[in-house]
Amino acid sequence: MCFFFRVAYPAEYRKAKFFLRISGFKSATVRIEVYDQNFDKTGAERLAFERPVSFSSGKLLVGFGVNDVIEPALKIINELIYGGRAEAVLLAEPDVVNALSTLPKNSAGCDYKIGARPSCVFSSVDVKAVQNFIVEVAVTPHGAFTEVQVVFRYLCPSLVNKGGKFVKMEGIPRFMYDVKPDVRSRWSLDRLLEVEGHLKWVNCCKGWSWYGESSKYVGISGLTPIGCLAVEQDNGLLLRDWHIAVEEVEDIEGSNRSVDDSFNQIAEKIAKSINSISTLLMKKATRAVLYALKEHTRIEGKQIKSLYTFQEEALEEGLKALLTGEHKVIVLTTRTAGGKTLAFLLPLLIWIAYKRIAGGECGVKALLFYPTKALANDQANLILKLVWHLNHQPEAPEILELKKPISLGILHGQSPYREQQHEHEEEVRLTCPLCGSRLVLAWNKEDGFFKERILCKNSSCELSQLSLSWMLEEILKVSREAIYSDPPDILISTPDIINARLVGTAMRAREDPASLAILGMSSYYCADCGTVFCTRKRKCPTCGATDIRGHGKLSHPEVIVIDEGHLLRGAFGAQASHLVTRLEQAIRAINGLDASWRPVYFMSSATLSNPEDVACGLIASEKSCIRVIRCKTSEHRSRTRRVHIFLMPKAYTPMATTSRALEALYSEEPSAVKLSAPLLKELLSRRGSEFKGGNPGCIVFVNTLAEANELIGRLRSIIGSGVCIDGHSTDYDRDRAMKEDMFTRGEIDILVATRGLEVGVDYSRARIGVIYGMPFFLSDYTQRIGRIGRNVPSIIIDVFMPDKPIDHFYYTNWLLLCDNYLRSSHIQATEAYLINRSNPETVRRSGKRAVIDYLSLKSGHLMEQSLLNKAVSDEVERLIDPKMVVSYVCSALKVHEGEELGILVQSVEELLDEIKRGMKEQARLEQVIGNIGGLTWLWSLRTAEKEVEYRFPLPRQQPRRRELSYAFRHCVPGQVISYREAFYVIDMVSAEQLHRGEGS
């Protein structure tokens, strides 16, 4: 056993080693060694004390320290735990006591105070604090094997005077203080630091394993380390309260073929197997995408020589499904930063290029779902660069020969409107495909609206000049009007915004239902400002222009990509699964497709434990339609390593521990090493060489908003002013994108984030990660560490919470966190989940959403017309016939029998009854739907509950939205809550109405 203990204020230590050698069942040798402050140097002074002992009962207690403390403690433990049968040995010799004591003065020659609190202290010259501990040994034979139990029990420090007499005091001497006692200047005395226990054996074999008897359990079994980590080491076991482990990030198996051969041979094979495919056009499309890929990697300073084998497989399977139109669900599973995006993007781009060369219609062909806006923005960057080089091929312009370039649109909740006020240039969350500088939106004020121009921020770049910037504006669409008036070939979006467009009529959204041009609906638009309408207008209500045009024939999405599919679980997953089938039904209804038509799906994740089952539930497909493609790891030695530092704070709070750890990495003079000038010099030298004089990027992942807000304040108070620390959570709402940009540019050094950043986002400068408290799911942990050090060495500091059971589980099973094989096996064995499409509340909500979908599609042209007109009211009455609506809704949700059918029919009929009543009171159908109470919650897919709002007394701040059940537990007048690093007291709780359940 090895540990450190403080002997002088503020940071002077001794190192103690305790040895126990057991021989047979009845004899042992105990030895203690205590080293002075030079414990890490050769020739350090030490005390060594050794004694042989015997214990005929198989039970032994050995106490070290002050006789007045150890003797009664031995007696109590012996009686209560061992029934008085243990042999008790007391080692309280003067040399042992002095070695375990504090010093009268520190190395600077200054005395200090020792006590329980500032008002109850003694001078270090008059008394000394002695550490006291007991070692318990129990040896029990069990036939062929022997059980040995060893407990190291730390008691507390106690005071003795110069004469060695025990000094009584109120409380325990827990702290050291400066000469002037102050809470702010105290240092702990009642904690042993960096405690380690070493167990070694001869003629024995271990009885534990990281795999349980059942293959369904992965984790340590047969060994129960309590309050420590167990590390196997040299035919022995190391027990400690901290550990550093190095994880080798496995390389992915690459193809034996060159990238050119992979593209050409796969394209040729597919063209021969499908009679309807033009071999010439297929070659052109393949050449164009291959050029785009090579050009992109060249500009990025890389060279792509070959694809990964799983990317080859995805390219072939994906292209075959897309070109034949066969419904397939292709599930891609690989580690984080493993090339999933290219795996689905390459077949998708070749297919789109082929369709456009063959004269296909303009419009959305591929819909890419991302669960968060941050991930959507991040992935758009790679896709834009490939699409740009796909269109711009100066060396071979004849390859595509398109009148209109292949285009990309980005649509989510923060996509701008042209009619909004835009006073300044805005940075786009994208970089220039030519020079890597940021792209900006320059807004030109027109008559009644603002028109965007997309330029490169680098004034010397070609894309900042008119000669090429017009092409970038044709390729990239970022405003809503640009997307709806001229739908792009590829649309990056979130499930939330697609749901909002389908049910937008109920929310009186200005662009709906004409915005469904992105699904192939032919609408009208203003040629000047891009505003869309369901019916032709004489002039645009936004800008007054009279040039109103129709879309004509548009294509519709034939492929849907669902990235990071593991996030679609719980209430969000159930409602997102219904959104997927509602979307399919809307596409069929708009474009007159056969009832059997279904698109091709790509689904990807690094942490799906049961991909087939999840895909079946999420997309409502048969298993025969699902093809899982898993990456294979390379046999070559990994070039990338993660260094994991595991910490379970005991002497200090997790917040203080995290703050001091980051202070050591960032501060010019960390308090932890102030007394060690050589160590400080070496630390600063290494940091400067590794990060080229700048600060490394660090992401701190927390589990709650309160933790984020408190930790930001603590870090700012400890780390110097040269380090910028900020937050990223739902409290920051629209500012989150700005903070992500600032972190990418190096303007923010430490970003404290909740789980919104844990998926997919690639921050190349993030080399340090802190996991502040373990997430419940190991898959979430995997995603978080995947954001750090993308394919470069990195440091992960894992801070466990002492009061959380889940943290103790992962602390004990620490190897699950840093061994990829164990980690994957655990996720596979314990984190399987299913999408519950039959949940009554999600069926009820999704049924009402599908009714609004139906009305948007079938009666969009009637929304603004007067219901006083009998022809209009008669047509609406015909459209809302219950049989027709129920038939549509059942197809949209794929519900045709069982209990959920009854729930669905009831919810549909209730909504139709409200619409019929409203038609007698309102003048237009859009007013009827908009005035129905309770439909606003149809907007949210993230919860199946009603929501409440926290409103803070700050200008221009968005309210915080939370589920009603959360508010009942955490929203009481007088309760303190945090918001954006500040703390507030709940002043008032108000509600429109509260419903009392039956029998309550």
Side-chain angles (χ1 to χ4, degrees):
M1 177 70 68
C2 174
F3 58 86
F4 296 83
F5 59 97
R6 184 174 276 113
V7 293
Y9 174 91
E12 296 182 26
Y13 305 92
R14 280 179 179 164
K15 181 179 182 179
K17 287 185 177 181
F18 170 78
F19 299 88
L20 173 67
R21 182 177 293 109
I22 300 174
S23 303
F25 303 109
K26 297 181 180 181
S27 63
T29 302
V30 294
R31 177 183 176 87
I32 185 169
E33 297 178 0
V34 181
Y35 297 78
D36 66 11
Q37 285 199 88
N38 297 311
F39 48 75
D40 59 341
K41 297 179 180 178
T42 303
E45 294 183 10
R46 69 175 183 173
L47 168 126
F49 186 90
E50 184 174 311
R51 176 183 292 184
V53 294
S54 61
F55 51 107
S56 57
S57 63
K59 310 289 189 298
L60 174 66
L61 303 178
V62 183
F64 297 83
V66 179
N67 183 76
D68 296 78
V69 175
I70 294 297
E71 190 171 13
L74 286 171
K75 184 176 181 180
I76 293 171
I77 292 172
N78 196 0
E79 291 293 334
L80 292 179
I81 299 178
Y82 300 100
R85 296 188 303 273
E87 301 286 339
V89 178
L90 173 60
L91 299 180
E93 283 75 1
D95 288 345
V96 174
V97 172
N98 287 333
L100 297 175
S101 301
T102 56
L103 301 173
K105 294 186 178 184
N106 62 22
S107 57
C110 301
D111 59 345
Y112 50 92
K113 302 294 182 181
I114 302 174
R117 52 189 178 276
S119 61
C120 181
V121 295
F122 296 84
S123 170
S124 62
V125 176
D126 299 327
V127 300
K128 56 186 176 183
V130 183
Q131 303 293 345
N132 301 280
F133 57 90
I134 293 174
V135 178
E136 305 170 27
V137 181
V139 180
T140 308
H142 293 283
F145 67 94
T146 301
E147 178 185 349
V148 179
Q149 179 179 321
V150 180
V151 177
F152 180 84
R153 193 181 300 275
Y154 176 62
L155 301 180
C156 64
S158 58
L159 296 183
V160 297
N161 60 24
K162 293 181 179 179
K165 298 296 183 180
F166 178 68
V167 177
K168 293 184 178 180
M169 65 175 296
E170 293 183 13
I172 297 171
R174 298 178 57 198
F175 301 107
M176 292 179 173
Y177 298 93
D178 200 350
V179 176
K180 296 180 179 179
D182 190 311
V183 172
R184 290 169 295 182
S185 66
R186 73 184 187 188
W187 291 77
S188 67
L189 179 60
D190 63 338
R191 294 290 189 273
L192 304 184
L193 307 174
E194 297 189 15
V195 178
E196 293 184 357
H198 297 258
L199 296 178
K200 290 193 176 183
W201 49 86
V202 179
N203 300 324
C204 299
C205 59
K206 68 177 186 179
W208 67 87
S209 169
W210 280 94
Y211 287 93
E213 295 180 1
S214 169
S215 60
K216 293 184 179 180
Y217 176 78
V218 180
I220 195 166
S221 61
L223 178 68
T224 308
I226 300 174
C228 63
L229 297 166
V231 184
E232 293 184 47
Q233 194 177 70
D234 299 331
N235 194 34
L237 196 64
L238 173 63
L239 303 172
R240 63 198 332 186
D241 57 3
W242 62 276
H243 186 54
I244 298 175
V246 178
E247 174 189 2
E248 291 195 355
V249 182
E250 295 177 325
D251 288 339
I252 298 173
E253 182 183 81
S255 171
N256 294 325
R257 294 185 287 189
S258 69
V259 65
D260 296 68
D261 288 344
S262 295
F263 270 69
N264 295 330
Q265 291 173 17
I266 289 174
E268 184 178 354
K269 179 180 177 181
I270 290 175
K272 288 180 178 179
S273 65
I274 305 174
N275 294 330
S276 59
I277 296 299
S278 166
T279 303
L280 176 61
L281 298 186
M282 189 65 184
K283 285 183 178 179
K284 281 191 172 185
T286 304
R287 281 180 57 200
V289 175
L290 179 59
Y291 170 86
L293 178 61
K294 285 184 170 182
E295 189 66 7
H296 161 64
T297 53
R298 182 190 67 79
I299 292 176
E300 294 287 314
K302 305 171 185 176
Q303 184 179 6
I304 184 166
K305 296 181 179 179
S306 63
L307 298 177
Y308 294 135
T309 53
F310 88 94
Q311 290 175 334
E312 276 190 333
E313 198 174 344
L315 177 60
E316 182 172 345
E317 288 287 335
L319 260 182
K320 191 183 300 181
L322 289 167
L323 291 167
T324 59
E326 178 187 5
H327 170 62
K328 279 276 186 184
V329 181
I330 299 173
V331 186
L332 306 169
T333 64
T334 180
R335 66 167 172 82
T336 55
K340 297 186 301 294
T341 302
L342 274 183
F344 65 73
L345 198 56
L346 294 177
L348 189 151
L349 288 175
I350 293 175
W351 170 71
I352 290 176
Y354 176 85
K355 292 204 74 171
R356 290 295 307 278
I357 296 172
E361 300 94 352
C362 293
V364 177
K365 299 168 183 62
L367 185 57
L368 279 55
F369 277 153
Y370 292 95
T372 67
K373 292 188 283 289
L375 181 56
N377 288 326
D378 181 75
Q379 295 297 297
N381 205 34
L382 169 63
I383 299 171
L384 170 64
K385 291 174 180 179
L386 290 175
V387 171
W388 167 265
H389 295 301
L390 179 59
N391 287 286
H392 184 63
Q393 305 194 10
E395 296 178 6
E398 75 285 353
I399 291 181
L400 290 183
E401 296 179 334
L402 300 177
K403 293 181 180 179
K404 190 175 181 182
I406 294 170
S407 54
L408 167 69
I410 307 169
L411 179 65
H412 50 60
Q414 294 177 0
S415 297
Y417 290 95
R418 286 176 176 172
E419 62 183 81
Q420 290 175 331
Q421 183 75 19
H422 300 280
E423 298 178 356
H424 308 287
E425 280 189 353
E426 302 173 24
E427 277 200 0
V428 186
R429 305 280 324 288
L430 303 168
T431 56
C432 175
L434 295 183
C435 71
S437 300
R438 278 292 176 136
L439 297 180
V440 296
L441 280 181
W443 295 95
N444 297 327
K445 188 173 183 180
E446 306 287 346
D447 188 10
F449 68 98
F450 290 78
K451 188 71 174 287
E452 72 272 16
R453 284 191 60 209
I454 305 173
L455 301 169
C456 177
K457 199 171 183 178
N458 178 6
S459 59
S460 61
C461 178
E462 289 182 84
L463 289 184
S464 65
Q465 311 299 323
L466 286 175
S467 57
L468 275 182
S469 65
W470 68 268
M471 187 173 178
L472 183 59
E473 292 168 20
E474 285 286 315
I475 291 173
L476 177 61
K477 302 179 185 301
V478 293
S479 72
R480 301 192 187 215
E481 290 84 353
I483 291 169
Y484 301 146
S485 63
D486 186 14
D489 295 284
I490 303 170
L491 181 61
I492 294 175
S493 189
T494 63
D496 308 86
I497 198 70
I498 296 301
N499 176 65
R501 297 289 64 82
L502 288 171
V503 301
T505 304
M507 313 301 149
R508 293 186 175 180
R510 50 192 159 189
E511 64 259 53
D512 300 316
S515 63
L516 296 181
I518 58 177
L519 304 184
M521 177 183 283
S522 184
S523 304
Y524 298 91
Y525 64 94
C526 172
D528 287 7
C529 70
T531 302
V532 288
F533 330 100
C534 281
T535 57
R536 180 181 289 276
K537 298 186 180 295
R538 293 184 178 180
K539 67 177 183 178
C540 175
T542 300
C543 66
T546 57
D547 188 359
I548 308 299
R549 303 177 186 178
H551 279 118
K553 178 64 175 173
L554 293 173
S555 61
H556 60 81
E558 296 182 53
V559 55
I560 297 174
V561 176
I562 301 174
D563 201 3
E564 302 297 352
H566 69 281
L567 288 182
L568 301 179
R569 60 191 178 209
F572 181 35
Q575 295 188 93
S577 70
H578 286 305
L579 169 66
V580 166
T581 52
R582 284 169 48 216
L583 176 61
E584 287 186 16
Q585 181 68 2
I587 294 172
R588 285 192 290 265
I590 289 171
N591 299 280
L593 301 175
D594 188 79
S596 62
W597 176 88
R598 300 200 70 187
V600 174
Y601 284 92
F602 285 93
M603 184 175 170
S604 69
S605 173
T607 52
L608 274 180
S609 61
N610 51 336
E612 294 94 342
D613 294 333
V614 173
C616 283
L618 184 62
I619 301 169
S621 289
E622 299 295 329
K623 282 196 174 183
S624 58
C625 299
I626 295 170
R627 174 78 164 85
V628 178
I629 298 176
R630 293 181 171 89
C631 78
K632 299 175 183 176
T633 56
S634 171
E635 296 180 355
H636 299 102
R637 183 176 176 84
S638 173
R639 294 165 294 176
T640 307
R641 291 172 175 80
R642 292 192 189 104
V643 178
H644 291 261
I645 303 173
F646 301 110
L647 303 172
M648 172 70 86
K650 295 176 181 176
Y652 301 98
T653 65
M655 189 171 297
T657 301
T658 302
S659 302
R660 293 301 181 188
L662 291 179
E663 179 198 24
L665 290 169
Y666 284 91
S667 178
E668 288 301 315
E669 191 176 351
S671 59
V673 293
K674 282 182 179 178
L675 299 180
S676 178
L679 177 60
L680 174 61
K681 184 176 181 181
E682 181 182 358
L683 176 68
L684 297 178
S685 173
R686 288 189 178 184
R687 188 176 71 191
S689 61
E690 179 67 24
F691 300 106
K692 300 178 181 178
N695 288 326
C698 173
I699 301 178
V700 182
F701 282 106
V702 300
N703 295 312
T704 67
L705 288 171
E707 289 174 344
N709 291 321
E710 292 176 40
L711 189 56
I712 291 169
R714 185 61 178 267
L715 289 172
R716 286 175 175 170
S717 69
I718 289 179
I719 300 178
S721 58
V723 180
C724 182
I725 302 163
D726 218 319
H728 184 287
S729 67
T730 53
D731 279 354
Y732 296 91
D733 195 49
R734 292 179 178 269
D735 292 341
R736 283 183 287 179
M738 176 187 69
K739 294 180 185 296
E740 292 163 20
D741 290 339
M742 294 173 67
F743 181 77
T744 301
R745 294 193 298 264
E747 297 170 16
I748 294 176
D749 299 307
I750 301 175
L751 194 61
V752 181
T754 49
R755 65 173 303 178
L757 271 190
E758 77 181 26
V759 288
V761 182
D762 183 2
Y763 295 117
S764 57
R765 67 179 294 264
R767 300 283 297 279
I768 300 169
V770 178
I771 310 300
Y772 186 78
M774 295 298 108
F776 186 81
F777 293 106
L778 188 56
S779 56
D780 291 345
Y781 175 87
T782 304
Q783 293 289 343
R784 292 181 185 189
I785 64 173
R787 308 285 70 77
I788 312 301
R790 307 275 280 188
N791 295 318
V792 294
S794 59
I795 298 173
I796 306 294
I797 303 174
D798 296 283
V799 181
F800 301 91
M801 300 292 158
D803 59 340
K804 300 289 179 63
I806 192 65
D807 286 66
H808 279 277
F809 171 79
Y810 286 120
Y811 182 63
T812 302
N813 291 278
W814 61 272
L815 200 56
L816 297 180
L817 304 179
C818 59
D819 184 291
N820 182 61
Y821 182 73
L822 286 175
R823 192 164 56 219
S824 301
S825 300
H826 179 83
I827 293 172
Q828 185 77 21
T830 64
E831 295 190 10
Y833 67 92
L834 298 176
I835 305 293
N836 186 9
R837 290 179 59 90
S838 60
N839 177 278
E841 183 58 29
T842 58
V843 169
R844 191 175 293 111
R845 287 188 173 210
S846 298
K848 292 189 175 183
R849 291 187 183 106
V851 173
I852 305 301
D853 300 348
Y854 172 85
L855 292 174
S856 298
L857 302 179
K858 301 293 184 179
S859 59
H861 61 290
L862 302 174
M863 287 293 173
E864 298 178 0
Q865 297 190 36
S866 173
L867 293 173
L868 299 176
N869 184 320
K870 190 173 186 307
V872 174
S873 62
D874 286 347
E875 186 172 356
V876 172
E877 288 279 359
R878 181 183 62 80
L879 288 173
I880 61 174
D881 176 70
K883 288 185 178 180
M884 292 175 59
V885 179
V886 168
S887 175
Y888 177 92
V889 172
C890 288
S891 296
L893 302 189
K894 294 193 175 296
V895 173
H896 301 289
E897 59 184 9
E899 183 181 348
E900 55 263 37
L901 178 60
I903 295 172
L904 185 61
V905 171
Q906 182 183 357
S907 67
V908 170
E909 291 178 345
E910 287 175 356
L911 181 54
L912 291 179
D913 288 343
E914 290 190 70
I915 292 173
K916 290 177 180 177
R917 287 195 296 270
M919 289 176 61
K920 299 175 182 178
E921 302 170 2
Q922 304 294 333
R924 295 194 302 274
L925 183 57
E926 64 175 3
Q927 293 175 333
V928 172
I929 298 173
N931 287 331
I932 295 175
L935 289 188
T936 53
W937 43 261
L938 297 180
W939 196 282
S940 174
L941 295 173
R942 305 277 168 165
T943 176
E945 295 184 51
K946 299 291 179 65
E947 291 186 330
V948 300
E949 288 184 348
Y950 287 78
R951 294 177 181 171
F952 297 88
L954 295 172
R956 300 193 306 172
Q957 297 298 340
Q958 294 288 330
R960 178 192 288 177
R961 301 179 70 89
R962 285 292 177 270
E963 294 85 358
L964 186 59
S965 62
Y966 178 91
F968 274 127
R969 301 191 305 271
H970 301 91
C971 188
V972 179
Q975 184 170 350
V976 177
I977 60 173
S978 62
Y979 180 79
R980 289 199 176 197
E981 311 134 50
F983 293 85
Y984 299 86
V985 176
I986 294 177
D987 178 55
M988 181 181 66
V989 178
S990 64
E992 295 178 3
Q993 59 181 345
L994 292 175
H995 297 281
R996 185 182 298 274
E998 293 182 9
S1000 62

